[in-house]
Each structure stands twice: as C-alpha cells, then as structure tokens.
Amino acid sequence: MINNFPLWPERASSVAGNVDALFIFLLIVSGLMTLLIFACVVYFAARYRYRPGVLAEQIEGSLPLELTWSIIPLFVFGVIFFWGAVVFFKERTPPADATEVYVVAKQWMWKLEHAEGQREINELHVPVGRDVKMIMTSQDVIHSFFIPAFRIKQDVLPGRYTVAWFRATKSGTYHLFCAEYCGTQHSGMIGSIVVQEPAQYEAWMNGGSTGPLSASGEKIFAELGCVTCHRNDSQGRGPNLQGLFGKQVLLEGGRTVTADENYIRESILDPGAKIVNGYKPAMPTFQGLVSEEQLNALVAYVKFLSEAKPGQTPSKASASTDAQHAKGSQVE
C-alpha cells in the first residue's frame, strides 16, 4: 500500500523497511502529541476562560502528575533513541565481504570504479542480493550520495573517504542524486543505480573489464618507485605493506591507529602526519602528483596485499576468480 502512495519512494534495499518503520513511528508519535496538545489547549481555554467574579486558584503542584509527564516522554524518547541507534549502526557498518566500489564526486558528475576494474559515469550496475560498499571522496567540494529507493544518504567530502553500503532487493533502475548544494549545476548532478539479476550482472561485468583496480594500483606503485622502500622484507626504508590493512599500527610516541582507507590515503599525501614507530620520516609527499583515481587504485593495491597469498599478484588473482566464475556458470 505504501509503495503505491505517490509521495512515498519505492523500497528496494535491505535497510529501507527499517528506516520507513522508524519514520512512520516518529510521524505517529508527533501526530498524537500534536492532537493531545491541541485538545488540551482547547479544553483549558474553555474550562478556565475568563468569567466575572471568578478568580484563579494557585496550584502548588502534584508529584504523581509531574512523574507521569516526565517518565512517559522519557520512555518514548528512549525508544526513539535506541531504535534510531540500531538503524544507524546497521547502515554505517558494511559487511566484511561486501563488494567494493570507489566513487569520486566532481562538479557535476559521479565517477565510479568497481574493484574488478569497470568504470562508469553517473551510472552504477550492481547485482540483486549482494552487499555493495561505496568508498567515496570528492575532487572539489562537499557532495552527498543519495539513493531515495535505498534510503541511504552519505556526505562525500574532499580530502578523505566516507563509506556507505547497501544491498539491493529488487531489480530495476533507481535515481541517484546529489543532496548537498555543490554549485550552479547542482540540480544536474544526477545518475542511476541499475540493479540486475546475478546472471545479467555477470554478463555486464565480463563485457568491459580492463583488469582489477588493484592491478592498476600495482603499476602505479612501481612507477612511483614505492617498491624501493616498501619491500616485503625487513630491509626496506619504509614499513612492509604485506598484511597491513585493517591492522593496528604503532606510531612514534606510543599511539596506535587502524590502517584503514583514510590512513593509507593520508600516508600517501601527507606521510609526515603519522610516523610509524621505528622508521624515519623519509617518504616524500605525493600531494598533487596523483589523481583521486590513482589514489583509489593505490589503496586497492595495499588492501590486496593484505589478502593475497605470498607471490600472488592482482592479475593472477583476477584470472583465478574469472576461472571460478566460468566453472560455476558451466555447472549451472
């Protein structure tokens, strides 16, 4: 019934139902409180209207009444808070095995690149029933990645990564908007999310792949000379990147940080910001020397190094994955 209501967006993701339920609950509570307050205003205006010879009486207070109007609202707001917290943390915690898509927002377009290497502009193809993690940054100003049918909206900031995720539940094409005013052509910064059945998605994925994003990162890594310092043994001038991603890194002074996407990004652009314990600040900055797309590729390569077997390269890993997919298709 709600899906047929013209002012209600279609629900097409795993979290949309929870968001709608919370929103409807807030509407009901607000509506009931509005009616209650309006009824009280009308009643007290009529009951205690001005009458000649009748004087108001001083009321000293009532402990049961004060407890009632304190405890009941506290309970209602507690329900709203905890329900909202559950929905929020679920929306902000991507599953560990989610497919990754890197997004670069730019006045006035969305540039998207799959971990498998496919690139898209203002359009994103995803399969039904698969978790998709968006790793997003802006090339210029603040934007906001908004898919009404999925009930997700996440600000996209320059100079750092923000993350959002979704699992599409219905095939179809859905609107993608920028929900943050970003300039004169803000209204034209739109796109589409194309949700396909798994077989259709695999056919699309195999149609235009140029190699995995991590393979591009490996090439850039070598071209920039990173391999001379970040070696796989203890002889390098920089930290060993094998198995780094997701781990705790000990810094000078005893502080620790998690090696996530933002840490890797900062280490490339501003290597002096966080010095790893036991190493000298010898790494030059690559600020202005690499594009946002190249940064994404480098981050993907460092993440690959944490998952790959010894001696495995992104190209070999991609070939192995393609062979498994092909075998699975033959079995079907």
Side-chain angles (χ1 to χ4, degrees), residues 2 13 32 56 78 92 95 128 172 209 225 235 256 263 282:
I2 288 179
S13 77
L32 291 176
R92 291 294 180 266
V128 171
S209 176
Q235 304 303 315
T256 60
Y263 171 79

Side-chain angles (χ1 to χ4, degrees), residues 79-253:
V79 170
I80 294 172
F81 174 80
F82 286 108
W83 191 351
V86 170
V87 173
F88 175 82
F89 284 112
K90 184 175 182 179
E91 279 198 340
R92 291 294 180 266
T93 309
D97 58 348
T99 299
E100 294 183 347
V101 177
Y102 288 82
V103 181
V104 177
K106 175 187 177 182
Q107 294 172 318
W108 288 272
M109 68 173 65
W110 300 100
K111 298 187 289 185
L112 309 102
E113 187 166 5
H114 298 253
E116 294 83 357
Q118 287 80 355
R119 295 184 178 184
E120 304 186 72
I121 294 180
N122 294 337
E123 190 172 69
L124 173 62
H125 288 74
V126 296
V128 171
R130 186 181 301 178
D131 299 322
V132 179
K133 177 182 176 182
M134 317 293 295
I135 305 172
M136 304 181 289
T137 188
S138 171
Q139 193 170 315
D140 36 51
V141 299
I142 299 177
H143 300 276
S144 187
F145 191 88
F146 178 39
I147 311 174
F150 294 174
R151 307 299 192 270
I152 66 166
K153 183 169 76 71
Q154 175 62 53
D155 284 352
V156 183
L157 309 177
R160 61 161 298 167
Y161 289 116
T162 54
V163 172
W165 77 278
F166 61 83
R167 183 193 309 137
T169 56
K170 295 171 60 177
S171 60
T173 301
Y174 304 98
H175 294 294
L176 165 63
F177 298 104
C178 176
E180 184 77 28
Y181 181 72
C182 56
T184 56
Q185 298 182 40
H186 162 69
S187 61
M189 191 169 172
I190 57 178
S192 301
I193 307 297
V194 181
V195 182
Q196 300 176 307
E197 295 298 328
Q200 293 177 309
Y201 177 74
E202 290 298 333
W204 174 85
M205 182 68 71
N206 294 329
S209 176
T210 58
L213 184 59
S214 55
S216 300
E218 182 183 30
K219 182 179 178 181
I220 298 169
F221 192 81
E223 291 175 349
L224 295 176
C226 306
V227 292
T228 60
C229 294
H230 296 283
R231 298 171 50 175
N232 296 336
D233 52 34
S234 58
Q235 304 303 315
R237 298 171 61 191
N240 184 355
L241 302 182
Q242 291 282 348
L244 171 68
F245 186 80
K247 301 296 192 299
Q248 292 293 308
V249 178
L250 179 63
L251 305 178
E252 283 187 344

